[in-house]
Amino acid sequence: MKIAVSSMSKDLNSMLDVRFGRCNYFVIYDTEEGLVKTIENKGQMSGGGAGIAAAQQIIDEDVDVVITGNMGLNAFNLFKNSDIKVYRCGSIKVETAVQLFKEGKLEELTQAGPAHAGMGMGTGRRFRGGR
């Protein structure tokens, strides 16, 4: 079984990144071979559609399970249609997240979380002008 974890860096000691489409890397752990592979998330710098690009990358790696914090609707539906299970986890070490999954302690996502529509847009105060 191949498990992909959204990650801030390149190995099992890295912290899980709760942002699926905007994470820096995916650490892929093969439970049968005991091998670890890291791929850079090609979707992280996209102006839009980051989750879709990231999901397609994971699908191309023939992954069975994804562990992340949040996932938008489009990425979630791609995984659902590809029979890839998605599990929620907080910002902990990637290795710990994999262990919690093996122990059956992670919650399976059954619906998408909120989409983010870009990187931090629209959250600041508007200029009100004048005095």
Side-chain angles (χ1 to χ4, degrees):
M1 172 184 291
K2 287 186 181 178
I3 303 169
V5 183
S6 56
S7 177
M8 294 182 176
S9 194
K10 299 180 179 184
D11 58 43
L12 290 173
N13 287 319
S14 304
M15 295 300 288
L16 181 145
D17 191 330
V18 296
R19 308 164 304 151
F20 174 76
R22 300 281 178 198
C23 70
N24 294 325
Y25 299 95
F26 294 106
V27 176
I28 301 172
Y29 178 72
D30 187 326
T31 61
E32 295 169 16
E33 303 285 330
L35 300 175
V36 176
K37 176 181 181 180
T38 301
I39 58 174
E40 189 171 359
N41 177 11
K42 294 177 184 173
Q44 68 180 317
M45 298 309 287
S46 298
I52 296 169
Q56 190 57 58
Q57 225 180 328
I58 295 299
I59 291 167
D60 291 346
E61 290 290 331
D62 200 27
V63 165
D64 303 290
V65 168
V66 173
I67 302 173
T68 191
N70 298 301
M71 183 175 295
L73 181 62
N74 293 329
F76 180 81
N77 285 336
L78 279 172
F79 286 137
K80 185 176 179 183
N81 293 335
S82 299
D83 293 322
I84 296 173
K85 303 261 187 208
V86 180
Y87 291 84
R88 178 187 318 248
C89 191
S91 185
I92 60 175
K93 282 189 176 182
V94 168
E95 185 174 38
T96 305
V98 169
Q99 188 59 40
L100 289 173
F101 168 76
K102 288 179 175 180
E103 294 171 2
K105 294 182 178 177
L106 296 182
E107 171 192 1
E108 182 177 351
L109 289 178
T110 56
Q111 63 184 19
H116 296 288
M119 299 186 336
M121 303 298 178
T123 59
R125 290 185 161 183
R126 293 184 180 183
F127 176 71
R128 298 184 189 205
R131 304 173 205 218

